[in-house]
Amino acid sequence: MSAQADEHAIEVDVVRDVNGFLRALAVRALVYMGEQNCPFEEEFDGNDFCGATHLIARAGAEPLGTLRLRWFANFAKIERVAVVANARDGEAARALVTKAVTLAARKGYRRLIGYVDATLVTYWKRTQRVTVREQRPRLQFSGRDYVEVELAIAPPADAISADTPGLIMLRPEGAWDEPGVLDRSAERATLATAEAPWRSR
Ligand SMILES: CC(C)(COP(=O)(O)OP(=O)(O)OC[C@H]1O[C@@H](n2cnc3c(N)ncnc32)[C@H](O)[C@@H]1OP(=O)(O)O)[C@@H](O)C(=O)NCCC(=O)NCCS
């Protein structure tokens, strides 16, 4: 693949730092506040730092889309799915939801819930095969109608559980298959306080 093609490839990351979070906020400000006139306090609703994981779809450094997952005891909730207007060709949205499903399944979840814009129910049924929760009432907030949908997902054999080896569980969210900083730390001999590794650099 050429360097130019790489630059335009869409990648989805779990947000792990402030810059990643700023990218997610930029997309949400553009899409929800800018396009849908959502008030700031309704968009940034107090749930961004509470039991939430943010995903960012990007081409190189440029954010294209975002999605928020919130984790409950036996279901996860997909929220704030947004793709910037000039990147709406289905690819970023598909990549974001695929990553969300993979992440939730690896964490052992079997059920995803979402409130989707009532005008997009057909889209979500077609693209993600969601089912409308007919017994649940529609909601209206931020000036729009929402319909509750769900998606059954299947955890893989290596889903994270209480019996997952400790060092795997300690790896960064979603990066459970790559050695992390604590794997390297575990290989190091126990250090006396005076031997802090940064002192010998
Ligand atoms: C939802 C979203 C992520 C989908 O992105 P995408 O897959 O790249 O695709 P598009 O935006 O081109 O839309 C996909 C389909 O939904 C339709 N659609 C998008 N917005 C719509 C709206 N407000 N009303 C009705 N239809 C709409 C498009 O016409 C298109 O239909 P088609 O597939 O039959 O041609 C993107 O439209 C978006 O960010 N929307 C604003 C934020 C939002 O509403 N999020 C979803 C909350 S449930």
Side-chain angles (χ1 to χ4, degrees), residues 59-114:
E62 283 308 307
L64 304 181
T66 191
L67 178 157
R68 181 173 83 184
L69 276 155
R70 284 200 296 134
W71 309 105
F72 295 88
N74 59 4
F75 68 95
K77 191 163 177 296
I78 289 191
E79 302 175 325
R80 303 299 195 272
V81 185
V83 171
V84 294
N86 63 6
R88 286 183 196 154
D89 60 6
E91 194 183 344
R94 191 165 45 247
L96 281 162
V97 179
T98 300
K99 179 81 170 187
V101 168
T102 307
L103 190 64
R106 187 74 189 272
K107 284 168 79 92
Y109 285 84
R110 296 178 181 278
R111 193 178 197 199
L112 294 175
I113 299 285

Side-chain angles (χ1 to χ4, degrees), residues 7-172:
E7 202 177 297
H8 296 292
I10 293 179
E11 294 189 60
V12 178
D13 302 322
V14 173
V15 167
R16 300 207 182 93
D17 61 18
V18 171
N19 273 347
F21 191 58
L22 288 175
R23 287 184 167 93
L25 300 195
V27 172
R28 283 167 51 184
L30 283 167
V31 173
Y32 290 112
M33 293 176 64
E35 289 180 33
Q36 299 189 0
N37 295 320
C38 183
F40 175 88
E41 286 190 329
E42 295 179 17
E43 178 51 33
F44 301 106
D45 57 353
N47 280 324
D48 284 319
F49 294 121
C50 305
T53 297
H54 301 269
L55 303 181
I56 190 86
R58 59 180 175 81
E62 283 308 307
L64 304 181
T66 191
L67 178 157
R68 181 173 83 184
L69 276 155
R70 284 200 296 134
W71 309 105
F72 295 88
N74 59 4
F75 68 95
K77 191 163 177 296
I78 289 191
E79 302 175 325
R80 303 299 195 272
V81 185
V83 171
V84 294
N86 63 6
R88 286 183 196 154
D89 60 6
E91 194 183 344
R94 191 165 45 247
L96 281 162
V97 179
T98 300
K99 179 81 170 187
V101 168
T102 307
L103 190 64
R106 187 74 189 272
K107 284 168 79 92
Y109 285 84
R110 296 178 181 278
R111 193 178 197 199
L112 294 175
I113 299 285
Y115 300 135
V116 301
D117 190 311
T119 61
L120 293 174
V121 172
T122 309
Y123 166 82
W124 289 118
K125 278 183 174 170
R126 190 184 71 236
T127 57
Q128 299 297 332
R129 307 217 175 282
V130 301
T131 311
V132 171
R133 299 190 74 204
E134 301 287 357
Q135 73 281 20
R136 299 274 288 170
R138 280 187 172 216
L139 297 181
Q140 190 175 49
F141 54 86
S142 303
R144 303 178 88 83
D145 284 320
Y146 288 93
V147 173
E148 191 166 333
V149 298
E150 67 181 314
L151 184 66
I153 60 173
D158 61 352
I160 304 295
S161 76
D163 295 323
T164 297
L167 278 174
I168 293 180
M169 222 186 290
L170 285 168
R171 291 173 184 168

